[in-house]
């Protein structure tokens, strides 16, 4: 049995439908004629198709199934999810992509910067010449550029200095373009590296402080509103 869930921004996942024995059952609240599910057992695939997409369909969709391998227990296993964005704007590939590097003592930090793309959904991974690299990798969140409809993202890879001759690749997958950037190329920036890296880190720090500043202000506003309600209630009680 394969389940499909819909999760809208800021809400809990809601089961959309499930397919069992070739029969599709759509949950109440959803229009059954808009969803089609095809299960291909030989390829181990299950495809969900949404017809006549509307803005309300914007969400992240997850497939899931019950895993019976643990004796006496069933765990529901979810896929990584597919984010659907409904927009009149045409998607655009990254306008700029580059790898910067900075050496500090016995380590080398590579910064992969992908800029000005739309929509914001993008997959970014690091690889060496054999496999994907996951250790000492930090992936930042996407942020909006100067324009509201442009996004950027950065990822950091830290390796030992003795690996300076080893080639690494920053691979990004966007619906408009997929590319792989090597860490050792003639055009790699050298002189302004430190300044560029600081710029990227400063962007991240600025976003971090802005988020916390906003949260602090919201907290103060809520506290003031609560105090006003409290004083108003006291006024009417003692009056």
């Amino acid at each position: 049995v394969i389940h499909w869930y819909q999760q809208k921004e800021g809400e809990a996942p809601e089961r959309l439908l499930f397919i069992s024995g070739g029969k599709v059952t759509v949950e109440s609240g959803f229009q059954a004629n808009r969803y089609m599910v095809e299960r291909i057992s030989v390829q181990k695939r299950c495809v969900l198709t949404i017809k006549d997409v509307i803005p309300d369909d914007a969400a992240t969709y997850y497939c899931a199934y019950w895993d019976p391998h643990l004796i006496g227990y069933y765990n529901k296993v979810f896929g990584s999810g597919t984010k659907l964005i409904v927009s009149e704007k045409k998607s655009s590939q990254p306008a700029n992509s580059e790898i910067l590097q900075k050496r500090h003592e016995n380590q080398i930090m590579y910064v992969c910067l992908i800029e000005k793309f739309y929509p914001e959904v993008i997959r970014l991974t690091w690889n060496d010449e054999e496999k994907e690299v996951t250790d000492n990798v930090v992936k930042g969140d996407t942020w909006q550029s100067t324009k509201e409809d442009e996004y950027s993202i950065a990822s950091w890879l830290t390796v030992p200095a003795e690996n300076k001759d080893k080639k690494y690749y920053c691979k990004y997958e966007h619906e408009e373009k997929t590319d792989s950037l090597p860490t050792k190329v003639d055009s790699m920036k050298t002189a302004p590296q430190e300044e560029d890296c600081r710029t990227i880190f400063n962007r991240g720090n600025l976003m971090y402080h802005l988020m916390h500043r906003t949260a602090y202000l919201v907290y103060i506003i809520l506290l003031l509103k609560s105090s006003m309600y409290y004083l108003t209630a006291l006024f009417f009680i003692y009056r």
Side-chain angles (χ1 to χ4, degrees), residues 59-86:
T60 302
Y61 293 83
Y62 298 91
C63 59
Y65 72 99
W66 289 104
D67 183 5
H69 289 99
L70 292 177
I71 300 176
Y73 296 93
Y74 276 80
N75 290 330
K76 182 165 279 190
V77 180
F78 285 77
S80 57
T82 299
K83 186 173 183 178
L84 171 64
I85 297 174
V86 183

Side-chain angles (χ1 to χ4, degrees), residues 2 16-17 35 74 91 95 111 125 150 152 154 166 223:
I2 303 297
L16 171 65
L17 55 83
Y35 304 99
Y74 276 80
S91 59
V111 181
T125 57
E150 290 184 344
S152 299
K166 186 174 182 178
L223 188 62

Side-chain angles (χ1 to χ4, degrees), residues 112-190:
C112 181
L113 178 62
I114 314 296
E115 293 185 292
K116 299 179 180 179
F117 53 86
Y118 183 84
E120 67 266 31
V121 180
I122 192 168
R123 180 180 289 110
L124 201 155
T125 57
W126 287 94
N127 301 269
D128 57 22
E129 295 180 321
E130 298 177 355
K131 62 184 184 307
E132 181 178 347
V133 178
T134 56
D135 293 337
N136 300 315
V137 171
V138 178
K139 179 184 175 184
D141 295 326
T142 55
W143 72 82
Q144 283 186 307
S145 304
T146 52
K147 293 183 180 180
E148 293 184 358
D149 55 359
E150 290 184 344
Y151 293 85
S152 299
I153 192 171
S155 180
W156 296 263
L157 169 65
T158 304
V159 300
E162 56 262 29
N163 289 0
K164 61 184 178 64
D165 295 326
K166 186 174 182 178
K167 186 176 290 187
Y168 296 92
Y169 300 86
C170 173
K171 180 181 179 181
Y172 70 85
E173 297 174 76
H174 187 261
E175 64 179 73
E176 283 296 317
K177 185 179 181 180
T178 296
D179 200 2
S180 184
L181 310 175
T183 55
K184 287 183 68 65
V185 290
D186 295 336
S187 59
M188 181 182 290
K189 296 185 178 180
T190 54

